[in-house]
Amino acid sequence: MLDTDNTALVIIDVQGKLAQIMYQRDELFSQLQVMVKGAQLMKLPIIWVEQIPDKLGTTIPELQNLLTDQSPIAKNTFSACGNHKFQAALEASQCSNIMVVGIEAHICVYQTAMDLHLAGHHVEVVIDAVSSRHPANKQLALDKMALAGIKMTSTEMALFELQRVAEGDQFKQLLSVIK
């Protein structure tokens, strides 16, 4: 199970005009915000990447406004694992459990999750916080990752798993984040 002591959140390429044409965009953006707020509440490391931002644009304001204390890592590889700055950030986090969110599920999310899994990390893809332009591509990516041994989770499932107990101040704050 996910544990706050060694779990990081990786946000993949939620940028520009591409983000605006994702399948079920509004739900995606909402779940991404909940994941970021939940990760921040639990003080999880967040590693945030952007695919060639000079061409695709920057991360959507809904996420940028939550991540004001850090900067994204620019990349040109589909898998974030092909970027040395990402690898350094991942190593610095000292986390073996990685939750992956972002777009597109069948390209950058898929390749990053597979590379993380092959490198020995426990990877969980947050299925309601990933998308593609076409739902069939998202489903294909989720199916292929699951067949490879990558775990699937949802926003609420992951956050409550990390929370563990239904009491205390953090729990109350988590409830307000999820609602």
Side-chain angles (χ1 to χ4, degrees):
M1 295 212 329
L2 297 172
D3 182 323
T4 56
D5 291 333
N6 72 351
T7 300
L9 176 64
V10 171
I11 305 168
I12 308 286
D13 306 342
V14 187
Q15 304 164 240
K17 292 178 184 173
L18 183 61
Q20 303 304 319
I21 59 172
M22 288 298 108
Y23 175 68
Q24 297 182 329
R25 177 194 71 195
D26 294 339
E27 175 71 11
L28 171 69
F29 290 3
S30 175
Q31 296 306 315
L32 286 165
Q33 290 173 78
V34 171
M35 282 303 300
V36 169
K37 290 175 185 177
Q40 289 171 329
L41 175 64
M42 295 179 192
K43 297 177 178 41
L44 302 181
I46 298 174
I47 306 170
W48 162 31
V49 298
E50 293 179 337
Q51 179 75 14
I52 49 175
D54 56 324
K55 293 184 178 150
L56 293 180
T58 60
T59 298
I60 60 171
E62 293 90 335
L63 295 183
Q64 275 191 43
N65 293 338
L66 298 174
L67 298 164
T68 56
D69 62 339
Q70 65 187 108
S71 298
I73 298 168
K75 65 181 183 66
N76 64 3
T77 56
F78 294 123
S79 171
C81 294
N83 181 283
H84 70 279
K85 288 183 181 178
F86 174 82
Q87 289 287 4
L90 186 61
E91 189 174 316
S93 78
Q94 299 182 332
C95 292
S96 59
N97 296 326
I98 313 296
M99 297 184 299
V100 179
V101 300
I103 62 175
E104 280 193 84
H106 66 293
I107 304 170
C108 295
V109 170
Y110 167 76
Q111 291 186 33
T112 300
M114 289 296 291
D115 282 348
L116 289 167
H117 176 68
L118 292 171
H121 295 282
H122 172 86
V123 180
E124 298 207 14
V125 174
V126 185
I127 64 169
D128 54 356
V130 299
S131 193
S132 294
R133 288 164 288 152
H134 302 288
N137 282 335
K138 175 183 174 179
Q139 191 58 55
L140 176 61
L142 296 176
D143 292 346
K144 196 168 178 181
M145 288 184 284
L147 283 171
I150 294 170
K151 305 302 180 195
M152 301 295 135
T153 192
S154 69
T155 297
E156 284 194 20
M157 185 176 190
L159 293 175
F160 281 111
E161 188 174 323
L162 288 161
Q163 175 60 36
R164 304 275 176 158
V165 296
E167 61 184 29
D169 208 32
Q170 182 174 290
F171 175 67
K172 291 176 188 172
Q173 291 177 48
L174 179 61
L175 290 177
S176 70
V177 164
I178 289 175
K179 290 182 180 181

